[in-house]
Amino acid sequence: MEEDKTRFPILNTYVNALSMDETVNRVEKMIQVGKPVQHVVINASKVNLMEKDAELRKIVNDCPLINADGASILWAAKKLEIPLTERVTGIDLFHRLIQKAEEKGYRVYLFGAREEVVGEVRRILTEKHPHLIIAGTRNGYFTEEDEPQIVADIAASRADMLFVAFSSPKKEYWVHKYLEQLHVPFVMGVGGTFDVVAGVTKRAPEWMQRHGLEWFYRFIQEPRRMWRRYILGNCQFVRLTYRYRAQQYKER
């Protein structure tokens, strides 16, 4: 296998130092090859989970394309002297890929969130992208017994892209488990993206996005639910970064 010169080790994982355009081009090549690929984005929360969960760490690190979703990853890259200059957030990549799918006739499948939410996402995307081919939708509420039929339905849809709107680490585990059976060239976990597209939750204003403050906007929306992830989690991530930096200096 040819070495990927855009891929760098960072903390307990890897990241591809790609722009949004370069990422979209890489995804197109994956679709053309046709071999099922799992895509992930990383942020402070996921890195923290991976530090405790060896199986999740292996799943993520086996993915051939890993983008930096969080401003925290850019900050850590700077501390660790990794040439990463741009975030490729999951929600922005989702929108770019939907646009590309309409242009190229790629078939997309939307999987996850509540039934009314995924239905609203379908309506909004169809209205905005009239030539988009939505091969199917399915809500994210199911039992283990439902999974074989869900996998069969997705495979039968002949989708080129599958967007899975579960939280981490559920989406990474689920996609990894069924990747080969889905027969979809590009499978991407999109977390809460469907809720944002449907208007259930709001995304941070652009100025906050530009300054890496999306996490703070999310925190002030639901402080009781999010304080552990963002306050304790961010402190844990900072400690982890400095630990890896100290280790990096020792190895020089």
Side-chain angles (χ1 to χ4, degrees):
M1 184 182 294
E2 186 179 346
E3 181 185 1
D4 185 349
K5 294 182 179 179
T6 71
R7 189 177 177 94
F8 296 90
I10 181 169
L11 304 169
N12 53 24
T13 185
Y14 297 90
V15 68
N16 289 89
L18 296 170
S19 67
M20 177 64 77
D21 289 341
E22 289 167 337
T23 299
V24 172
N25 290 339
R26 183 78 64 94
V27 172
E28 275 210 89
K29 289 177 183 175
M30 290 172 170
I31 292 171
Q32 289 160 10
V33 170
K35 186 179 186 301
V37 167
Q38 180 174 3
H39 168 271
V40 293
V41 295
I42 55 172
N43 52 32
S45 178
K46 192 170 297 181
V47 166
N48 288 342
L49 286 173
M50 290 163 62
E51 191 66 14
K52 302 172 185 175
D53 187 336
E55 185 178 355
L56 175 64
R57 186 162 63 245
K58 184 177 188 312
I59 289 171
V60 170
N61 291 344
D62 283 346
C63 294
L65 181 57
I66 304 175
N67 287 116
D69 176 80
S72 55
I73 302 299
L74 281 184
W75 175 82
K78 186 175 181 180
K79 295 295 179 186
L80 298 170
E81 301 176 10
I82 296 166
L84 182 66
T85 58
E86 182 176 335
R87 293 168 67 204
V88 177
T89 68
I91 188 168
D92 291 328
L93 181 57
F94 170 78
H95 284 297
R96 281 292 302 274
L97 292 176
I98 290 294
Q99 181 182 345
K100 183 61 69 175
E102 182 183 30
E103 290 172 7
K104 296 295 183 73
Y106 298 140
R107 300 167 63 84
V108 305
Y109 197 106
L110 309 172
F111 179 28
R114 300 194 309 273
E115 182 63 36
E116 62 270 25
V117 170
V118 72
E120 179 66 0
V121 172
R122 180 174 194 151
R123 184 194 69 77
I124 289 168
L125 293 181
T126 301
E127 187 176 284
K128 187 174 181 181
H129 304 278
H131 301 293
L132 177 67
I133 303 169
I134 297 182
T137 64
R138 210 294 181 183
N139 69 62
Y141 293 83
F142 55 89
T143 65
E144 191 172 345
E145 289 72 29
D146 297 325
E147 292 183 7
Q149 187 59 55
I150 292 171
V151 172
D153 290 345
I154 293 171
S157 74
R158 297 180 295 110
D160 299 296
M161 301 182 194
L162 168 63
F163 298 103
V164 180
F166 305 165
S167 59
S168 289
K170 180 181 178 182
K171 63 177 179 285
E172 286 82 11
Y173 279 123
W174 197 93
V175 172
H176 175 75
K177 181 179 180 180
Y178 292 113
L179 183 64
E180 297 300 326
Q181 298 174 52
L182 292 167
H183 299 296
V184 179
F186 181 76
V187 184
M188 175 182 175
V190 294
T193 292
F194 290 0
D195 285 339
V196 176
V197 174
V200 175
T201 58
K202 291 183 179 181
R203 192 177 182 192
E206 285 191 18
W207 72 266
M208 294 188 86
Q209 295 176 39
R210 287 195 303 271
H211 290 85
L213 292 172
E214 282 186 277
W215 70 270
F216 184 70
Y217 185 81
R218 189 76 185 90
F219 169 69
I220 60 176
Q221 285 182 311
E222 297 183 273
R224 288 187 178 181
R225 192 165 80 87
M226 293 295 179
W227 73 272
R228 185 177 295 276
R229 172 175 176 172
Y230 288 122
I231 304 304
L232 297 185
N234 285 353
C235 291
Q236 179 184 344
F237 182 81
V238 169
R239 287 196 303 271
L240 187 66
T241 300
Y242 280 108
R243 194 184 89 203
Y244 273 87
R245 189 168 80 158
Q247 181 181 327
Q248 185 182 70
Y249 286 158
K250 283 182 183 178
E251 292 172 354
R252 286 180 175 176

